[in-house]
Amino acid sequence: MLSKTSEIEINADGTRRGLSNLAVQMIAFGGSIGTGLFLGAGSTIHKTGPSIMLIYLVIGVFFFFMMRAIGEMMYSDPEQHTFVSFIGKYISPRFGYFAAWSYWAELILAGMAELTAISTYIKYWLPNTPAWIVQIFFLATLTIVNLSMVRSFGRSETFLSGIKIVAILVLIVVGIYMIAVHHENPAGTHASLSNLTDGFTMFPNGFHSFINAFPMVFFAFQGMEFVGITTAETKQPLKVLPHAVNQIIGRILLFYIGALFIIMTITPWRSLSQSQSPFVQIFELAGLPAASQIINLVVIAAACSTLNSAIFSTGRHLYQLAQESTGKTMNPFEKVSKSGIPYGSVLFSAGMMILAPIISSFNSLGEAFTFIASISSDIYILVCILTMVAHWKYRHSKDFLDNGFKMPHYKITNPLTILLFVGIFITLFFNKETLLPAVGALVWLVGFNIILSFSNKKELDS
């Protein structure tokens, strides 16, 4: 049941539908376009050269299929606060618990990583400011934003994501101009389309490097699924959800592939430094002396955007877990404020992120955190696979809406998506840097389910 107050729909549980279509789109941008593009694109380009654009296109298409699967399930039940709840509903409660708690923990770790990154970038301007002060300030500020109203979160995310979008658009416009005038670089090269085609080979660093680029690109799209966490607080979800899902992937691919295309066209891709942001390098080639400072500001906005979305998402996941739990210990996380915010779950999730300042103070803890974060990222692939399995089972359940927002050609696209995600997970075992985290993800999957089977099997299977 829904009621309306000041044109804002109020759900039966007290949460409010205050997010617009624009806000939902920006939340997806905020989650999937982050520091990886602005800082890490150089390393990604060096893996495969121009072929990286093909990898982005392939992964992007299959992420679109996953988003359509999530969108179809959310359309059938728009009052769910997280898409992960469908795993418990259509596969098994045990796998639902695994996915929900694992995804919540993954987002907590992601938020902590962004806090650490923000303090690092701020040192560019304030080198003598203690990192823990910077981290607490940003965490407190964004937590307050999340605790006010859902519309406040939507506006803040629109602003932060807008900064990133403007930076990418400026790069593309400047790049087009440099190509048009055949701009000469200090090294004597020129901005030209031939920088992409001269000496082109699909696997410039070998087939192994090409395959290893797939997980890197896969994780770059992580966060797009945040759309499946906003539905319960989105205005007119049955109208907004289909538009948001269909529009997001094309625009994100445009920004990712467009930026990479421009970067590799302005200068030969082998000349790009892996240690410096390619955005900084291109703007410096264009004669912009303040490039480093501008991109540092953009990167801070990108990190804040991801942290902002992490606080929102972890709060909703914990709230959903509390609603589905029969234990009294979860009751505080079910409380909703008068403004429609599940403040207990938001405060607890944000409080967990406060561990970041402590961890960053000890090198040994920092190394352990990096390893655990890598395991958590790998678990994200397992959650994506389970989501697709849940969608397949939804299609064969009594809940299926034949006139709903259906995933196209699901009998083909669903298994292919699962196959690709499984393939990406398998590639992790053939790289010494990703082998141990991948093993850790499997250990967590098996161990979590063993623990559940001994602790509350009767409750879960009832």
Side-chain angles (χ1 to χ4, degrees), residues 272-342:
L272 289 168
S273 170
Q274 296 188 62
S275 58
Q276 186 183 28
S277 165
F279 277 69
V280 171
Q281 295 176 66
I282 296 306
F283 284 137
E284 286 179 345
L285 289 176
L288 188 63
S292 295
Q293 297 196 39
I294 293 172
I295 296 304
N296 196 63
L297 175 63
V298 172
V299 168
I300 290 173
C304 286
S305 173
T306 304
L307 175 60
N308 197 31
S309 293
I311 295 172
F312 177 90
S313 301
T314 50
R316 272 56 183 185
H317 267 83
L318 190 57
Y319 175 68
Q320 182 86 36
L321 279 164
Q323 284 193 314
E324 295 172 354
S325 174
T326 57
K328 293 183 179 180
T329 56
M330 298 291 286
N331 287 347
F333 305 133
E334 290 188 81
K335 298 184 182 298
V336 177
S337 68
K338 292 182 179 180
S339 56
I341 304 297

Side-chain angles (χ1 to χ4, degrees), residues 108 111-112 115 118 134-150 152-153 156-157 160 304-316 337 339 341-355:
I108 292 291
M112 292 168 61
L115 270 177
I118 289 170
V134 175
Q135 292 172 1
I136 290 176
F137 171 78
F138 278 90
L139 180 61
T141 300
L142 294 178
T143 301
I144 291 171
V145 169
N146 272 268
L147 288 173
S148 52
M149 288 190 299
V150 71
S152 300
F153 164 75
S156 65
E157 194 55 37
L160 292 171
C304 286
S305 173
T306 304
L307 175 60
N308 197 31
S309 293
I311 295 172
F312 177 90
S313 301
T314 50
R316 272 56 183 185
S337 68
S339 56
I341 304 297
Y343 65 92
S345 58
V346 170
L347 280 173
F348 182 80
S349 297
M352 291 296 293
M353 296 179 194
I354 205 69
L355 292 171

Side-chain angles (χ1 to χ4, degrees), residues 48 51-60 210-211 213-214 217 221:
T48 67
S51 300
I52 195 65
M53 292 186 289
L54 174 63
I55 298 176
Y56 268 95
L57 179 61
V58 171
I59 299 292
F210 181 80
I211 293 299
F214 273 83
V217 175
F221 282 103

Side-chain angles (χ1 to χ4, degrees), residues 167-180:
I168 297 172
L169 288 176
V170 169
L171 173 80
I172 292 174
V173 170
V174 170
I176 291 174
Y177 171 77
M178 293 174 72
I179 295 168

Side-chain angles (χ1 to χ4, degrees), residues 371 374-379 381-382 424-445:
F371 177 68
S374 298
I375 293 175
S376 182
S377 295
D378 294 347
I379 291 173
I381 304 181
L382 299 178
I424 290 174
F425 189 79
I426 291 174
T427 64
L428 299 174
F429 293 90
F430 295 93
N431 189 322
K432 62 181 181 180
E433 296 177 356
T434 58
L435 173 59
L436 287 179
V439 172
L442 288 181
V443 170
W444 173 249
L445 170 64

Side-chain angles (χ1 to χ4, degrees), residues 156-169:
S156 65
E157 194 55 37
T158 299
F159 172 74
L160 292 171
S161 294
I163 294 175
K164 293 185 287 187
I165 290 172
V166 169
I168 297 172
L169 288 176

Side-chain angles (χ1 to χ4, degrees), residues 116 356 358-373:
T116 303
I358 299 173
I359 291 174
S360 61
S361 300
F362 300 92
N363 290 334
S364 57
L365 285 178
E367 293 173 1
F369 169 73
T370 301
F371 177 68
I372 294 172

